[in-house]
């Protein structure tokens, strides 16, 4: 530059302006997560960092519950700054539903079916939506469902197994031909005999030894059967001796 003083003298001088480069701020890390998960965003391009949510380190561990945008300001050794923005997308967990009969009688089979995703894993082994089981007692099964976003959610289901009714039959099981006997079943609330009656008591007069079967149903609609044979003895054959 050229300068002139009050008496008209001039002089020249130079000045050097140093222009320092700005840093190029970067952010790395997983930016798509599922509800409940965490991720660490890592800033780069500078020597010090300031995140919009507070941290002053390069690494910024976050666990947002909804999709959230984070900004980092990177500063280099010259004090120059640059900013970068990253949006962490938060996908919801799949909604798991389970259908199927969950109240059984001992020995029954049921199929419980999960829905809500594209992948399935049951605690008892199957990796399909449907899970066919024959539990020997009341059992809880858990299914983990994974959706197209690789988000997973689990849900338990308890299958209640009711015992079969204990059936007993009382009554005279040995008769003479021509006699009648009543067989009486117990152990439930409903009865069906093989020879027709739908009551606990079954009055019979067989002419030969005969087996009768009763099916008993209890309050849980569980069924069990029992059989009883009625032995029929022949009448004695009378004979007479002596003179006519």
């Amino acid at each position: 530059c050229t300068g002139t003083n009050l008496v008209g003298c001039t002089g020249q001088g130079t000045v050097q302006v140093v222009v320092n480069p700005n840093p190029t701020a970067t952010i790395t890390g997983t930016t798509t997560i599922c509800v409940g998960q965490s991720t660490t965003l890592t800033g780069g391009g500078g020597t010090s960092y300031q995140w919009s949510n507070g941290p002053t380190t390069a690494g910024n561990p976050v666990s947002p519950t909804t999709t959230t945008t984070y900004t980092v300001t990177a500063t280099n050794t010259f004090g120059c700054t640059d900013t970068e923005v990253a949006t962490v997308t938060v996908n919801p967990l799949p909604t798991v539903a389970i259908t199927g009969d969950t109240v059984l009688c001992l020995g029954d089979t049921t199929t419980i079916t999960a829905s809500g995703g594209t992948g399935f894993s049951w605690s008892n082994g199957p990796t399909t939506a449907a899970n066919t089981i024959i539990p020997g007692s009341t059992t809880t099964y858990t299914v983990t469902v994974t959706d197209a976003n690789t988000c997973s959610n689990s849900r338990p289901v308890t299958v209640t197994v009711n015992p079969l009714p204990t059936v007993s039959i009382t009554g005279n099981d040995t008769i003479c031909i021509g006699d009648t006997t009543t067989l009486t079943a117990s152990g439930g609330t409903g009865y069906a005999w093989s020879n027709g009656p739908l009551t606990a008591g079954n009055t019979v007069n067989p002419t030969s030894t005969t087996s009768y079967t009763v099916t008993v149903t209890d309050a849980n609609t569980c069924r069990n059967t029992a059989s009883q044979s009625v032995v029929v003895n022949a009448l004695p054959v009378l004979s007479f001796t002596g003179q006519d």
Side-chain angles (χ1 to χ4, degrees):
C1 64
T2 300
T4 303
N5 63 13
L6 295 176
V7 295
C9 298
T10 61
Q12 292 183 334
T14 60
V15 61
Q16 184 178 17
V17 178
V18 177
V19 179
N20 293 314
N22 288 326
T24 300
T26 61
I27 298 176
T28 57
T30 299
T31 56
T32 300
I33 63 174
C34 304
V35 168
Q37 292 182 339
S38 299
T39 187
T40 297
L41 304 177
T42 303
T47 55
S48 63
Y49 303 90
Q50 176 66 61
W51 288 90
S52 56
N53 61 319
T56 56
T57 55
N60 182 16
V62 295
S63 52
T65 57
T66 59
T67 297
T68 304
T69 297
Y70 300 90
T71 300
V72 67
T73 298
T75 303
N76 63 14
T77 55
F78 302 110
C80 300
T81 61
D82 188 29
T83 60
E84 181 62 289
V85 175
T87 297
V88 177
T89 301
V90 181
N91 291 315
L93 302 183
T95 300
V96 181
I98 299 175
T99 57
D101 191 359
T102 57
V103 179
L104 309 178
C105 299
L106 184 64
D108 286 350
T109 299
T110 187
T111 298
I112 47 179
T113 303
S115 60
T118 56
F120 305 88
S121 178
W122 290 91
S123 55
N124 62 317
T127 56
T128 54
N131 184 11
T132 300
I133 52 177
I134 312 175
S137 60
T138 296
T139 305
T140 297
Y141 302 88
T142 300
V143 63
T144 300
V145 177
T146 304
D147 63 15
N149 294 316
T150 69
C151 294
S152 297
N153 200 5
S154 297
R155 180 174 172 179
V157 56
T158 298
V159 178
T160 301
V161 179
N162 291 313
L164 301 183
T166 300
V167 182
S168 62
I169 300 174
T170 59
N172 189 2
D173 59 0
T174 301
I175 62 174
C176 297
I177 191 166
D179 287 348
T180 297
T181 187
T182 297
L183 303 177
T184 302
S186 62
T189 57
Y191 302 88
W193 288 91
S194 55
N195 61 318
L198 300 177
T199 55
N202 182 16
T203 301
V204 296
N205 57 347
T207 58
S208 60
T209 298
T210 304
S211 180
Y212 299 91
T213 299
V214 65
T215 299
V216 177
T217 304
D218 64 14
N220 295 316
T221 71
C222 294
R223 294 180 175 85
N224 203 1
T225 62
S227 296
Q228 179 65 59
S229 290
V230 176
V231 177
V232 180
N233 292 317
L235 298 179
V237 176
L238 299 179
S239 63
F240 300 92
T241 61
Q243 294 181 347
D244 291 338

